[in-house]
Each structure stands twice: as C-alpha cells, then as structure tokens.
Amino acid sequence: MQSAAERHVPVLLERCLDLLQPGIDAARDAGRTPWVIDATLGMGGHTYQLLARNPDVHVIGIDRDTNALVMASERLTEYSDRLVPCHTTYDNIDEALETAGIEAVDGILFDLGVSSYQLDERERGFAYSYDAPLDMRMDTTAELTAAEVVNTYTHQQLTRVLKAYGQERHARRIIDAILRTRETEPFTTTGQLAQLIIDAYPRGTKGGHPAKRTFQALRVEVNNELAVLESALPAALDAVANGGRIVVMSYQSLEDRLVKYAFAQATTSSAPVGLPIEPEEHKAQYRLITRGNEKPTEREVEENSRAAAARLRAVERIREPLSRHHYTDRFSHRSRRNS
C-alpha cells in the first residue's frame, strides 16, 4: 500500500507556501510563535512542507475525515510536537483555536472539495468512473449518504440539489428517471446511478461525462459543503492576526463565488459614500494579495491533473480586528436578513 506522501501531490504547493510565509514572518517579527490552520488537512501534503521549512511554526490540522486525520498524523509523525489535529468541519475554527489554546493564527489555508485520497478510495463512492457503494460521505461517522438522497428525496428536493449544486441543465430528465427506477429498485451503487444518467442524457450532448454534475451536486448535499464554507469564511477572517493571511483554493464556481464575495466584503470600506473622513471602524481590515483568481500553470497541471480546476484567492489582514467575532456577526446578520 502506498504511503500518503506517495499517493498525494499537493495542489499549487509552492504558491500556497509563498503566500502564507509573510504572515509567519510577521508573527516572528512581533515576537510570537507562528501558528497556521490547515483547514483541510487531507493527507498533510501542504502542512508537511510548511512544518519542514519553518522549524518554529505550529499547525492546527482540521479535517472531517477520520481516516485522513490518521494518515496525515502518521505522515507528520516527526513534527507531531507542532501539530494539533482536529476532527471537525472547517467552519468550527473557534473550536480548533480553543483546542490549541490560542486566540488567533497567522495564516489559514483552505484546499476545498474532495481530496485525492477520498477519490482514490473506491469504497467511498465519490467517483462515477467505477462501481462502488453510493456513499460520498467525507466524514464516515455522519449519517446522510448519497444513496439516501437519491432514494428518499422528493422531486422538489432533488431538483434543488441538482440545479443549485450541480447547475445541471438536464436535471428534470435525470430526476424523472431516478423516481421511476427507485420504485422497483433502490440505488445502491455509483455504477447504477451513472448508467441511469448516461441513459437519461440527450444523445450527442457535449461537456464531459454526463454524470459529472449530478455526482458533484450529491457530494455537496451529503457533506453540506457550501453552507459549511459560507460559515467558515467569516470565522477565518476573525481568526487571523494582523499581518496574517488567508489562502483559499476552490475547484468549482459555486465555491469560488462565496470566497470572492467574502474577500470583497473584507477588503472594502463600509463607510457611507461621501463621508469627508473615513471613520476607523469602517476601514477595510484586509487587502487582496491576488488579482482575481489565480490558476495553475501548464506545468503544474501536467504534474498533477487534479490541479487543473483549482482557483486560488488570498487576502492579508492589515488592521487589528475591531472585535473577536466582527465578521462572524456581520455575515450572520446578512444571512438572517436575506433568509
């Protein structure tokens, strides 16, 4: 069996480390021990290099996948005194800080979406390219599976999932076929569902494998990915010390849109237009350090095909936080107002 290091090629490794480094240096300059959160620890590829290159850095490694936490901890054994593993979702940053006994960090890295390990483990049921149990849980201790979604959700619920999370143009055809089939034969495997989608798709349709969007939508629903991310971003903005940085890699437009909005809010003054003097409490607390979303180079894609869809954004805190939960409260207020 391959080790985690052999199985995993970190996406945009050098760029992520370069972006995080100034926050680490700022902590040193301030006389503090640098702390970084790897919000999606996975198999520990980014964290391994971060710890190897910075002998004074401590990392809080968050992952909802217990198997991934075990593998990452084994890979990072030589740095175990500087690693705090946390089994939780990455919106629980406050919980992770409390576990580590600190109040703020100097960098946060998000590598969103399904991990290489999860894709490669057939029994996890994330891929449509081979037959496996229809599962898709990132946290195997969670209850909801893709099979339960497909077999029990109503037409309206399935429509929401496929259109909102998969942007599937042929959602109605797929859902009608699902509802007919499950009356006599419940869905239990990825191959069964993938073949149904292929049969339901209009002939000659271009744009990759017909099941791609539906499988993405089911994965997002099962793991509540967008809601977790929407809560995680303001929590991350609150958790970073002055000079610290947040780096996010997303792999689909829905994720990137949430990141873009959160970073735009954090880097824009909240003062009313026309004020002769901008009050301190309205000044932007962050600045953008990437122009738009950065994409991997051709060479990086050649070395790691799974990097092709990556889109990277990053910000840096430029002012001390006004309050411990400034962004969490601000985004929660917006969510309540829009609900």
Side-chain angles (χ1 to χ4, degrees), residues 52-68:
R53 298 182 190 190
N54 296 275
D56 57 341
V57 164
H58 289 63
V59 172
I60 302 172
I62 296 174
D63 209 294
R64 67 171 81 188
D65 188 330
T66 54
N67 294 333

Side-chain angles (χ1 to χ4, degrees), residues 15-87:
R15 183 57 173 150
C16 289
L17 295 181
D18 288 346
L19 286 168
L20 290 169
Q21 194 62 47
I24 294 169
D25 294 339
R28 290 185 185 128
D29 292 342
R32 292 184 286 102
T33 298
W35 279 85
V36 173
I37 291 176
D38 186 339
T40 45
L41 183 61
M43 286 189 283
H46 290 95
T47 286
Y48 183 91
Q49 291 298 329
L50 187 66
L51 291 168
R53 298 182 190 190
N54 296 275
D56 57 341
V57 164
H58 289 63
V59 172
I60 302 172
I62 296 174
D63 209 294
R64 67 171 81 188
D65 188 330
T66 54
N67 294 333
L69 280 173
V70 170
M71 292 180 67
S73 295
E74 291 175 353
R75 181 180 187 177
L76 299 165
T77 298
E78 61 186 296
Y79 304 117
S80 60
D81 59 328
R82 294 190 283 129
L83 175 68
V84 181
C86 289
H87 176 227

Side-chain angles (χ1 to χ4, degrees), residues 170-178 180 196 199-203:
H170 304 294
R172 183 172 181 178
R173 297 171 68 110
I174 295 169
I175 293 167
D176 286 346
I178 287 173
R180 286 195 304 270
L196 175 139
D199 294 341
Y201 240 60
R203 291 185 179 276

Side-chain angles (χ1 to χ4, degrees), residues 79-135:
Y79 304 117
S80 60
D81 59 328
R82 294 190 283 129
L83 175 68
V84 181
C86 289
H87 176 227
T88 188
T89 49
Y90 46 71
D91 55 335
N92 292 319
I93 286 176
D94 276 354
E95 175 187 320
L97 292 175
E98 186 175 345
T99 299
I102 59 174
E103 294 185 355
V105 293
D106 307 291
I108 301 179
L109 174 65
F110 291 89
D111 187 1
L112 303 174
V114 63
S115 72
S116 299
Y117 156 70
Q118 290 164 339
L119 283 171
D120 292 339
E121 292 292 307
R122 293 195 171 205
E123 65 269 19
R124 306 296 290 273
F126 285 102
Y128 45 78
S129 56
Y130 44 73
D131 203 24
L134 191 56
D135 194 321

Side-chain angles (χ1 to χ4, degrees), residues 131-189:
D131 203 24
L134 191 56
D135 194 321
M136 300 194 193
R137 290 174 297 170
M138 292 179 177
D139 181 353
T140 54
T141 66
E143 294 183 1
L144 184 64
T145 66
E148 184 175 347
V149 173
V150 173
N151 288 317
T152 67
Y153 273 29
T154 64
H155 193 292
Q156 183 179 8
Q157 289 173 314
L158 288 171
T159 299
R160 171 186 61 80
V161 172
L162 266 62
K163 288 191 172 182
Y165 300 153
Q167 299 173 303
E168 174 55 72
R169 291 176 298 168
H170 304 294
R172 183 172 181 178
R173 297 171 68 110
I174 295 169
I175 293 167
D176 286 346
I178 287 173
L179 294 180
R180 286 195 304 270
T181 301
R182 77 185 193 187
E183 287 181 0
T184 57
E185 185 181 6
F187 289 88
T188 58
T189 69

